[in-house]
Amino acid sequence: MAIATTEEGARGHREAEHRRAGDSPSRPRKALTIGAVAKILSQEFDDISISKIRYLEDQKLLAPRRTAGGYRLYSQADVARLRAILRMQRDEFLPLRVIRQELASGDFTGPRRGSDAAASRRAASVDAAVTTMSLEDLLDEAGVPENLIRELQEFGIVQPERRDGRLTYDETDLEIVRAAAELSRFGVAGRNLRVFRSSADREAALLQQIVGPALRSRSQARRKEAIENLESLAAVCGQLKHLLLVRDLRRLKGD
């Protein structure tokens, strides 16, 4: 009796997977064309398109099987993976580099992390809408003295906006302050952080040359693709800078 119950439960789970992927439980699981996948997911994602799916594949987030003629065929696992990617983009505003890390963890269909982690991700995203806050809120969230904020502003590390006569900060400013506070524990002052500011300015100028024309395009689709490319390029630049730093630090310790 227990065996029958287990088999029935497994069968029910398989049927549920079929329904989520758009198959009827009465039909065998089969590979789907890219057009069929776009149609299935359009019920949940209004902006899904064949070109967007292809773009995600170009970014190495998807790897569908190819026929001898070069046509893409998506398995049920591919559809589940794509659905997870689209949800992370829509619900958490995650950049592609973070989504890639989530996918690599192998647990992208489970419950998402808390609001603090989501806020941190938004702070590191080019396109995410971040929450603004007052100086008082920033001091409370970061747990730092006001003179540190003033010093960071003096050297252009933190750059608040003025709204209705008051300075406002956002989640990116908060993460910058937290990082600066950690470095201050090792005697790194605000003026020492100008090297990071200068480096960021040069990288931003380089990326502007690459994607600037597309960002100024009147085509909404082209602008959206340019923003996604900007996220990916920023991630690559960050990774390259980290690797160069690691290489130099290895030399410093004598490796």
Side-chain angles (χ1 to χ4, degrees), residues 67-105:
T67 66
Y71 292 101
R72 298 171 174 82
L73 290 178
Y74 292 80
S75 67
Q76 311 305 320
D78 290 328
V79 176
R81 184 182 178 93
L82 178 54
R83 180 180 282 107
I85 292 169
L86 297 174
R87 284 177 177 169
M88 283 187 270
Q89 283 187 313
R90 181 194 63 190
D91 300 340
E92 298 186 55
F93 308 101
L94 299 188
L96 294 183
R97 63 178 179 83
V98 178
I99 291 176
R100 190 174 290 108
Q101 293 168 1
E102 293 290 326
L103 295 173
S105 73

Side-chain angles (χ1 to χ4, degrees), residues 92 112-122 171 175 178:
E92 298 186 55
R112 308 299 304 152
R113 295 187 178 90
S115 58
D116 289 345
S120 180
R121 292 190 187 108
R122 289 196 301 271
E171 291 164 325
E175 294 302 319
R178 284 172 170 166

Side-chain angles (χ1 to χ4, degrees), residues 16-36:
E17 289 294 330
H18 278 295
R19 287 191 292 272
R20 281 196 292 270
D23 281 348
S24 166
S26 63
R27 292 183 299 173
R29 293 163 66 93
K30 64 178 182 179
L32 301 168
T33 65
I34 190 170

Side-chain angles (χ1 to χ4, degrees), residues 121-166:
R121 292 190 187 108
R122 289 196 301 271
S125 173
V126 173
D127 196 34
V130 291
T131 302
T132 58
M133 63 190 75
S134 65
L135 174 60
E136 293 75 17
D137 292 334
L138 177 65
L139 292 171
D140 183 59
E141 289 285 340
V144 299
E146 185 173 347
N147 66 304
L148 176 61
I149 306 296
R150 301 299 183 194
E151 183 182 11
L152 294 175
Q153 290 178 194
E154 178 184 353
F155 293 106
I157 309 304
V158 171
Q159 299 178 343
E161 294 184 6
R162 185 171 293 277
R163 297 182 182 178
D164 299 326
R166 298 188 62 186

